[in-house]
Amino acid sequence: MKLQIKTLFTLCSIFICTMGIAQEDKNYRETPLTEIEIKNLFPAEVLQQIGAEFPIFRVYPFEDKDGKQYLILTEKVTKGNIQDENSLKRSIKAFNVSFEEDKTVKVRWTITDYIDETEKSIGFWTQYLNLKDLDNDGFVDPIVVYGTKSNYGKGFEEGRVKIIIYHLGQKIAIRQQNSSLDDGRLTQVDQSFDALPLGIKKKVYDMIEYLEDNRHALFLSEVKEQIKNSLKTQKNTTSSFD
C-alpha cells in the first residue's frame, strides 16, 4: 500500500513538473532593455549610424556564437503613445545589430513594413517574440511577429499577420491575411520553411496556435495540417537515424 502511494505521488510530481515547464514556456517573455540602458547604448549618433528614423518601441539583447547582439524594434506613431496597443502606427522597422571592436555598429538584418490603404495600424507583437536557440546549434533563431488592424471588421479579424524566422542568416516568412469569410483568408508559407530544423518548426506551430487562441489570427486549416504533418514526418525521419 505504501509503495502504491509512493508511486502515485511520484507520478503526480512528474505530471505537475511537466505541466509547469509547458506553462512556463508558453508564458515565456523576452526581457527588454530599460530606457536608461537604451539611451546609454544607443544615443542619437549611434541610431543615426544604424538608420533608425522612428521612435524605439523595445530593444532586446541576446547572445550566441556570434557574440552579443541587439534587436531594436521601432515604430512610427500617428496617434497615441508608442507603448499603447490601441495607438495607431503607420510603419515599423526592426534592426538586428552588434558592436564591432572599434565600437562601430554593424547592422546584420532589418525588417520593414507599413500599412496600406485598407489598414489603420501596424505593430510588433512582442508576446510572440523568440530569441532562443531552438535547434541547439549555438546560434539564436530569432522569430519576430507583427500584425495590422484593418479599417474593416473588429479587432484583427481583417488584418495581416507576419511571422519572420531567421535561421543561419536565412529569412523565412509566413504571411497571413485574416478574414471573417472563409474565401478571404490566405496563408502563404515560404518553401524554405520545410527545410528548417524540427525545433524551429515546432515553435512556429505553437505560435500559430497561440495566435489563434488570442484571436490575433485564423489560419487556413489545411496549411496548419501541412505544418503539423511535416513535424511528424521529420520526427520519424530523425528517429530512424538515432
Side-chain angles (χ1 to χ4, degrees), residues 9 32 67 73 89 92 101 112 122 126 128 146 166 173 199 226 229:
F9 178 78
L73 306 179
K89 302 167 184 179
I92 58 172
E101 291 185 5
T112 304
I122 187 171
T126 54
Y128 307 108
Y146 63 85
Y166 282 93
Q226 182 181 349
N229 288 335

Side-chain angles (χ1 to χ4, degrees), residues 42-59:
F42 301 102
E45 57 270 22
V46 174
L47 292 177
Q48 187 174 11
Q49 288 181 47
I50 295 170
E53 300 176 354
F54 307 150
I56 291 177
F57 174 50
R58 302 258 171 84
V59 177

Side-chain angles (χ1 to χ4, degrees), residues 156-215:
F156 302 95
E157 68 179 10
E158 302 291 336
R160 288 182 295 125
V161 181
K162 198 165 183 179
I163 302 172
I164 298 181
I165 308 127
Y166 282 93
H167 177 61
L168 300 178
Q170 184 183 20
K171 176 183 175 181
I172 301 99
I174 296 177
R175 302 166 182 85
Q176 166 70 15
Q177 174 62 58
N178 291 330
S179 177
S180 56
L181 302 175
D182 291 344
D183 293 342
R185 287 195 295 275
L186 177 65
T187 307
Q188 295 178 319
V189 182
D190 286 351
Q191 287 186 349
S192 48
F193 179 84
D194 289 336
L196 285 172
L198 181 62
I200 299 177
K201 292 201 288 187
K202 176 64 168 63
K203 182 66 174 179
V204 172
Y205 184 80
D206 289 345
M207 279 187 180
I208 287 174
E209 293 202 314
Y210 196 14
L211 280 158
E212 291 189 327
D213 288 345
N214 290 337
R215 299 189 176 183

Side-chain angles (χ1 to χ4, degrees), residues 97-139:
V97 305
S98 60
F99 289 96
E100 304 288 85
E101 291 185 5
D102 61 0
K103 304 301 180 183
T104 58
V105 65
K106 175 183 178 181
V107 178
R108 295 170 174 265
W109 48 260
T110 63
I111 297 171
T112 304
D113 208 337
Y114 46 85
I115 59 174
D116 62 27
E117 65 277 2
T118 69
E119 298 168 331
K120 60 183 176 182
S121 187
I122 187 171
F124 290 108
W125 294 348
T126 54
Q127 64 266 49
Y128 307 108
L129 176 67
N130 173 82
L131 293 174
K132 290 181 179 179
D133 176 9
L134 297 172
D135 58 348
N136 299 315
D137 63 353
F139 295 97

Side-chain angles (χ1 to χ4, degrees), residues 15 144 191 233:
F15 176 77
V144 181
Q191 287 186 349
T233 303

